[in-house]
Amino acid sequence: MSGVASFVPTPLLLSDSAKARIRGLVEEEGNQALKLRVYVTGGGCSGFQYGFDFADSVAEDDTLVEFDDVALVVDPLSYQYLVGSTVDFEEGLAGARFMIQNPNATTTCGCGASFMV
């Protein structure tokens, strides 16, 4: 197969504002091992919903996506729904929150917290 490139899906991406927020939270907690865990669960108004948590450990089957001095952790079930997505952080009138820009979603809800594939 020389000369034939294989397609490897782009893992999760992280916006500059999300990187800055994660750095800030890691510094506040004083724990350099903290990583942002991104996951998908059933529910929400469109079928699946996004979740975010901080973890200082990585399970054997987790995917670790590193960006310089910050990292994301994704479990194998969630990873398939999130490949190619961008994790963003926004502050606005509705408050401050992490959010996902997911090219795999066929439908999203108005609040952006749930989706359907």
Side-chain angles (χ1 to χ4, degrees):
M1 287 207 307
S2 71
V4 177
S6 61
F7 175 74
V8 176
T10 303
L12 283 162
L13 303 172
L14 194 59
S15 73
D16 289 341
S17 61
K19 287 178 192 174
R21 183 61 180 152
I22 294 169
R23 276 187 206 106
L25 291 169
V26 166
E27 287 175 18
E28 282 178 32
E29 292 297 316
N31 182 352
Q32 295 301 312
L34 283 181
K35 297 154 188 57
L36 181 65
R37 179 172 291 281
V38 183
Y39 58 92
V40 172
T41 60
C45 36
S46 295
F48 294 102
Q49 60 187 2
Y50 302 112
F52 302 94
D53 196 4
F54 274 94
D56 55 7
S57 62
V58 178
E60 192 175 299
D61 59 350
D62 282 341
T63 297
L64 178 65
V65 186
E66 296 181 296
F67 303 90
D68 301 321
D69 59 342
V70 297
L72 298 175
V73 179
V74 184
D75 64 84
L77 181 64
S78 298
Y79 186 82
Q80 63 187 330
Y81 296 110
L82 295 170
V83 168
S85 296
T86 300
V87 177
D88 196 8
F89 181 78
E90 72 171 19
E91 292 183 82
L93 296 175
R97 64 185 177 141
F98 285 102
M99 56 186 293
I100 302 280
Q101 297 166 2
N102 188 342
N104 306 309
T106 57
T107 305
T108 58
C109 68
C111 65
S114 68
F115 70 102
M116 183 181 298
V117 288

